Amino acid sequence: MDVISSSIKTYNIWFEISGVEVGQHLYWQIGGLQIHAQVLITSWVVIAILLVSVIIAVRNPQTIPTDGQNLFEYILEFIRDLSKTQIGDEYGPWIPFIGTMFLFIFVSNWSGALLPWKIIELPHGELAAPTNDINTTVALALLTSVAYFYAGLSKKGLSYFEKYIKPTPILLPINILEDFTKPLSLSFRLFGNILADELVVVVLVSLVPLVIPIPVMLLGLFTSGIQALIFATLAAAYIGESMEGHH
Amino acid sequence: MASTVMATKPIALAKASPSLSPRKISIRAQAKPSSTSIPNLKRLTSKLLFSVPSIAMLAATPLPALAEMEKAGLFDFNLTLPIIAIEFLLLMVALDKLYFSPLGAFMDARDAKIRAELSEVKDTSAEVKELEEKAVAVMRAARAEIAAALSKMKKEMTAELEVKLAEEQARIELELAAALNNLEKEKEEALRVLDAQIDALSEEIVRKVLPTT
């Protein structure tokens, strides 16, 4: 303890820049309830980035696409292909959901890794990727749950609930449990990956600030992109799974 | 952990209330450094035994007594969850109106147009083949005509030529015959003359050679 406190005193200026505060949030109050303001602020920035870039790139579509339009056409084709592979032929109505899921998580994760949030100092807590907060990831996972329930019910009606006893009725408890583990695993996978990556980078930066953290940051970019893809793919897979096998 | 236990300020103890929040992984300096001299074990254990009941008492006090900022942790669910959900749904609608639908429709229209043009091109190529075949047939017919006309002309020409040739040959033969006749006549004449001369000459020779008797 003594050793740590003395090193804290010596390198205080560096701690001010590279300190990490897990579990510290900036609180706003609405009525009797609290809000993690830093998550809201960063999510607004992410939404602004998405909407502005989309508006600029897709303004006058040309037959031979310009660079921005080409990029967004590629993204749309990618999302379409992903949805079609997982959901099947009726993938059309689900493209906005899967696409927004993928883009929101991807831009959130990369904004947390690439944008210099620490420049803006908050009175309490700090700005980071909005997906490093359990509220965000659980919200997205619950939306996915609602989506696949809605998909199954709207396609099959009440006979959707037959799937709980489908292979054999013995598996009923497991099938019910699956409805809880699906959103749980989705949310925790994303939350754990993003928060852990942030922590690793911050701790490394506080220890060896110059070149060593860079491979870990690149790995973080890679895995956070993969996590966005995984979340979107699993959401599409759950939707496809609840819609399948009717006719 | 030891440092926070050692500090006796209630706020510091409140920070250390373990039952409500996971341990902050903060590497910011927390308690005053001066009070964290390395304890010996006995003092530590006695302090622990002493402070556990006080911590329990403080934990029992109602929530507002604790600093609001410090009760949070990693798993802090609050109004943020539904707000993010609503933001996501609004973003979904906005992106659909601005990006997925318009660009998707544009891309599909472009694909359909390209496909239509491709099939059109395939059709006109069949037409083009037809026209080509017609052209080839016409060419063949023309060539056949020309060849027929050519051969006809050739036949006529050769017939004419043969006629002319026969005529000329006949003329030439006649002339040749006439010339030969002339030559024969002249030969006979010459022979007659020579005969007469030969007779005379032989008389001379005999007179000259034989002694004159």
Side-chain angles (χ1 to χ4, degrees), chain A residues 54 58 68-84 91-92 94-96 98-100 102-103, chain B residues 95-96 98-108 110:
Chain A
V54 156
V58 187
Q69 183 187 337
N70 205 8
L71 174 68
F72 280 90
E73 282 189 14
Y74 172 69
I75 293 175
L76 180 58
E77 262 190 56
F78 176 74
I79 293 172
R80 275 184 173 179
D81 180 60
L82 169 69
S83 312
K84 189 163 176 190
Y91 69 98
W94 292 104
I95 289 179
I98 304 294
T100 314
F102 174 72
L103 285 174
Chain B
L95 275 182
D96 186 31
L98 290 173
Y99 170 37
F100 294 122
S101 296
L103 195 61
F106 178 77
M107 281 166 63
D108 289 337
R110 188 174 59 191

Side-chain angles (χ1 to χ4, degrees), chain B residues 145-158:
Chain B
E145 246 186 68
I146 290 176
L150 210 65
S151 65
K152 200 171 74 164
M153 269 189 64
K154 252 195 227 159
K155 264 190 235 148
E156 282 178 5
M157 289 291 292
T158 44

Side-chain angles (χ1 to χ4, degrees), chain B residues 65-78:
Chain B
L66 296 169
E68 280 256 336
M69 301 295 201
E70 305 307 328
K71 75 169 161 67
L74 284 179
F75 296 99
D76 184 25
F77 292 101
N78 47 30

Side-chain angles (χ1 to χ4, degrees), chain B residues 22 32 60 74-75 79 94 97 99 102 115 117-118 126 132 138 156 160-162 171 181 203 208:
Chain B
K32 291 246 164 51
L74 284 179
F75 296 99
L79 193 60
K97 288 245 167 55
Y99 170 37
R115 215 164 281 142
E117 277 183 15
L118 263 176
E132 264 186 30
V138 164
E156 282 178 5
E160 253 185 58
L161 277 173
E162 273 187 13
R171 198 172 49 107
N181 269 348
E203 290 262 325
K208 285 266 168 92

Side-chain angles (χ1 to χ4, degrees), chain A residues 1 8 15-16 21-25 27 33-36 39-40 43-44 47 50 54-55 58 61-63 65 69 72-73 75-77 80 96-97 99-101 104 124 134-136 138-140 143 188 195, chain B residues 1-3 24-29 33 36-38 68-81 83-85 87-89 91-92 94-96 98-100 102-108 110 113:
Chain A
M1 279 309 175
I8 287 176
F15 271 124
E16 289 306 315
E21 302 161 349
V22 178
Q24 301 277 346
H25 305 282
Y27 287 100
L33 299 167
Q34 293 198 318
I35 297 178
H36 289 167
V39 172
L40 239 58
S43 71
W44 292 338
I47 291 176
L50 275 173
V54 156
I55 290 176
V58 187
Q62 309 288 331
T63 305
Q69 183 187 337
F72 280 90
E73 282 189 14
I75 293 175
L76 180 58
E77 262 190 56
R80 275 184 173 179
F97 180 72
T100 314
M101 190 67 80
F104 180 73
H124 201 77
I134 191 71
N135 288 295
T136 316
V138 169
L140 295 174
L143 279 174
F188 274 86
L195 183 65
Chain B
M1 176 103 175
S3 62
K24 282 204 310 267
I25 315 177
S26 173
I27 42 184
R28 222 176 252 255
T36 62
S37 48
I38 301 175
E68 280 256 336
M69 301 295 201
E70 305 307 328
K71 75 169 161 67
L74 284 179
F75 296 99
D76 184 25
F77 292 101
N78 47 30
L79 193 60
T80 316
L81 205 154
I83 291 186
I84 293 285
E87 278 188 14
F88 179 84
L89 291 173
L91 178 66
M92 183 171 84
L95 275 182
D96 186 31
L98 290 173
Y99 170 37
F100 294 122
L103 195 61
F106 178 77
M107 281 166 63
D108 289 337
R110 188 174 59 191
K113 199 167 66 164

Side-chain angles (χ1 to χ4, degrees), chain B residues 121-172:
Chain B
V121 163
K122 282 204 198 105
D123 280 349
T124 47
S125 85
E127 265 182 43
V128 163
K129 269 205 201 107
E130 254 185 58
L131 283 173
E132 264 186 30
E133 278 178 15
K134 260 194 222 160
V136 165
V138 164
M139 289 281 292
R140 232 183 278 141
R143 267 198 219 110
E145 246 186 68
I146 290 176
L150 210 65
S151 65
K152 200 171 74 164
M153 269 189 64
K154 252 195 227 159
K155 264 190 235 148
E156 282 178 5
M157 289 291 292
T158 44
E160 253 185 58
L161 277 173
E162 273 187 13
V163 162
K164 276 220 184 97
L165 207 66
E167 266 186 37
E168 291 289 310
Q169 261 188 347
R171 198 172 49 107
I172 286 176

Side-chain angles (χ1 to χ4, degrees), chain A residues 9 170 184 193 240:
Chain A
K9 270 190 287 190
I170 300 178
L184 195 77
N193 264 285

Side-chain angles (χ1 to χ4, degrees), chain B residues 13 76 79 114 146 173 185 207:
Chain B
L13 271 175
D76 184 25
L79 193 60
I114 290 179
I146 290 176
E173 274 185 11
K185 277 198 197 121
R207 219 170 351 104

